[in-house]
Amino acid sequence: MTAKKMEFKTEVKQLLDLMIHSLYSHKEIFLRELISNASDAIDKAKYESLTDSALMEGTGDWKIKITADKGAGTLTVSDNGIGMTKEETVESLGTIAHSGTKEFLKALQQRDVKDNPELIGQFGVGFYASFMVADRVTVITRRAGEESSRGVRWESTADGSFTVEDTVKEHKGTDVILHLKEDEKKYLEAWEIKNIVRKYSDYIEHPVVMDIEREVDSTIEKGKKVKVTEEETLNSRKAIWLKNKSEITQDEYNEFYRHISHDYGDALKTIHYRAEGTSEFTALIYIPSKAPLNIFYKDFKIGPTLYVKRVQIMDHCEELIPLYLRFLKGVVDSSDLPLNISREILQSNRQVEIIRKSITSKLLDTLSDMKEREYDTYLNFYGEFGKILKEGIHLEFSKKDQISDLLLFPSTKTQKGELTTLQKYVEGMKEGQEEIYYITGISIDEVLSSPYLEAFREKDYEVLIMLDEVDDFIMGNLQYKDKHLKSVTKGDIKLDKADESDRKKAETKYEKILGFIRDCLKDDVKDVRMSSRLKDSVCCMVGEEGDIDAHMERMLKAMGQEVPTHKRVLEINPSHPVVEAMQAIYDKDGKNPILSDYARLLYDQAVLLEGSKLKDPAAFARSIAKLMADNARHI
Ligand code: ADP
């Protein structure tokens, strides 16, 4: 059969173009990527052969071999892992771009890749890194368990296309052959290869071997040297998480973190511990410094890698951590789980549950400690992941108090750039204050000018400012130290008893005009009442306790969700001169058409003040223009 020529997918083409033309430093990482792929392929073969021993093809001697051929100018990375069928080869190495590739390319446009070569691994585009050092790459592969005639030969010069053809391959697995560019021949030197392997792939579980030629004393002729070639293992192979903490440097921890997370920076925190007792396992968990670009995407992969007695079972095991800790990266190696554990069993397994609880507690304790002792580091964490952590309040009742203590907020009393906590808020509560007040919004400045805060400001009450999308939903139901959190835009606000009696008096005094406004706006609002939360503004819109607030409603709508429209309550400031004036007009002539215009204008203002859109902006503009003209006549 002749070779079939095929086009790379567009994104792959762009990626290759970038590899070849834009990346000049740290090219050596191509080897790390190939070794990592080879190691994954062995993990897969090892795992599948647990249930189908034929896949071993007689050998349990798993290894990755590097061969440098100076004569041919080629560097080959071979593994005896799972290999690929023809379809898999075509898909994996050409026609299917990984789901993250588009985002990756976008991210590259925004950052200086030359300074951040680690970005290459971030979205799983590792294989293509080969083209940084090779002008032609040949892959010869055969799926484990298939006949030797079912081998595949893939080749490309990265010119937009690749070829595939059948071939014979005696051993299962994959050979990736790099035809090195003229000025990249240094990668054929044994010492160079050794250095790179030790630097990047030392902890790879499987041996990375190479034939090394050495001069030794001849046993036949005394004083003469002879050359011998021996297969040498280049990596120390010890799974880093199984080493003692004291034997691991922070650099090694970081290097491993970059390997598993595809991050290009260091982790913010490393948590490494061994649990004994009801469950035996080792966890090496990292909190990243930066949220990955795709953390809010649907296909974001959650959970540490699960090993059972050093055999990799699953890349991302969601069951090992709660959803609100989905930013964690790492590995868990259990001694108790069965090797053939399935997804279904994982979900109801007691050991898994114990591990999940243990990691959750450990992580929350670490964060509490970080907040106390390394506040700046904590601020970094909170800025990146605070809004994900917050979901825990809703998702894990038993941890609600501990998570509440980890939350940070700006407030009406914090200085610019500073944040407070619920604990501090409660300590500063006024005599007789029973609730923790908060307001939601999109920015601190916008919130600070809100009319909802007028009475709180006058009476010197602190109000927490919440700017995350999830806040109203999560915080509205929270109770902290017996105190309910209460939105200042919802329900009744009774800051003190005197206010309440003033409000009641005003309701009686302005009973008639209130009744009139209520009648005018009956289709749009639930009720009209006098307010004790306003001091300067004339009116505002207030939600009922338990309703979602206007900010949340707008956001859900923007996300395309169906939101049932809740009618709100219009609150009017009894001490505003407009109320007195309206009452006077009403007393003179209850049918004066200006009254219904005013009622409508009050409603429109309240809608604008809560940040929502008017249903009929043109009518509002007409009314304002008319008012201006009327007013001008009196000047
Ligand atoms: P990633 O490894 O992040 O998925 P790559 O571009 O490096 O991205 O590889 C793409 C895919 O090609 C892999 O997911 C795997 O399915 C396949 N692959 C690459 N190298 C090998 C190999 N040595 N053995 C088997 N499959 C491989």
Side-chain angles (χ1 to χ4, degrees), residues 179-282:
H179 306 265
L180 294 177
K181 292 178 187 169
E182 212 40 61
D183 47 1
E184 306 293 352
K185 293 273 161 68
K186 61 173 178 292
Y187 295 115
L188 295 172
E189 300 298 336
W191 58 268
E192 178 82 31
I193 296 168
K194 268 189 195 174
N195 279 343
I196 303 174
V197 171
R198 283 214 200 98
K199 184 166 170 195
Y200 294 112
S201 314
D202 197 47
Y203 41 77
I204 294 273
E205 182 190 335
H206 313 290
V208 178
V209 303
M210 189 174 171
D211 286 338
I212 305 275
E213 196 180 77
R214 252 183 308 171
E215 284 199 337
V216 292
D217 292 332
S218 166
T219 46
I220 304 162
E221 247 182 285
K222 236 178 163 202
K224 241 194 145 196
K225 298 269 184 197
V226 287
K227 285 186 176 165
V228 290
T229 302
E230 277 173 7
E231 192 177 271
E232 219 180 83
T233 300
L234 309 183
N235 55 336
S236 75
R237 301 180 55 197
K238 191 151 184 206
I240 181 171
W241 61 92
L242 296 180
K243 285 190 191 173
N244 275 333
K245 265 168 126 168
S246 56
E247 292 169 24
I248 313 169
T249 64
Q250 194 53 47
D251 275 354
E252 285 171 321
Y253 272 133
N254 284 337
E255 187 51 54
F256 183 66
Y257 165 71
R258 287 197 284 270
H259 167 71
I260 54 164
S261 67
H262 295 307
D263 194 353
Y264 48 92
D266 291 343
L268 190 71
K269 198 89 195 162
T270 307
I271 302 163
H272 185 191
Y273 72 103
R274 191 170 167 68
E276 271 153 6
T278 37
S279 178
E280 255 181 48
F281 68 92
T282 300

Side-chain angles (χ1 to χ4, degrees), residues 15 33-42 44 77-79 81-84 88-89 91-93 96 98 121-129 139 141 173-176 262:
L15 198 68
E33 300 299 318
L34 295 182
I35 291 175
S36 163
N37 282 348
S39 169
D40 288 350
I42 293 178
K44 268 187 216 150
V77 178
S78 310
D79 66 69
I82 196 72
M84 289 179 273
E88 285 167 343
T89 310
E91 283 187 358
S92 300
L93 309 182
I96 297 231
H98 291 261
Q122 198 175 0
F123 287 97
V125 287
F127 168 77
Y128 301 109
V139 177
T141 183
T174 305
D175 303 332
V176 180
H262 295 307

Side-chain angles (χ1 to χ4, degrees), residues 22 42 68 137 197 211 300 332 359 390 414-415 434 436 451 461 479 483 490 501-502 518 561 566:
S22 310
I42 293 178
V137 177
V197 171
D211 286 338
F300 180 70
V332 169
I359 294 179
K390 239 177 230 179
T414 51
Q415 301 296 320
E434 276 162 16
I436 298 173
Y461 277 60
Q479 215 179 330
K483 309 260 184 293
K490 281 191 261 184
S501 88
D502 286 353
R518 221 173 259 141
Q561 299 221 14
H566 294 282

Side-chain angles (χ1 to χ4, degrees), residues 366-388:
T366 304
L367 290 175
S368 304
D369 200 62
M370 197 198 283
K371 181 165 156 278
E372 289 309 309
R373 293 166 206 257
E374 303 165 77
Y375 188 66
D376 285 344
T377 313
Y378 186 73
L379 275 183
N380 178 344
F381 161 78
Y382 198 78
E384 294 294 321
F385 304 112
K387 71 169 141 185
I388 298 178

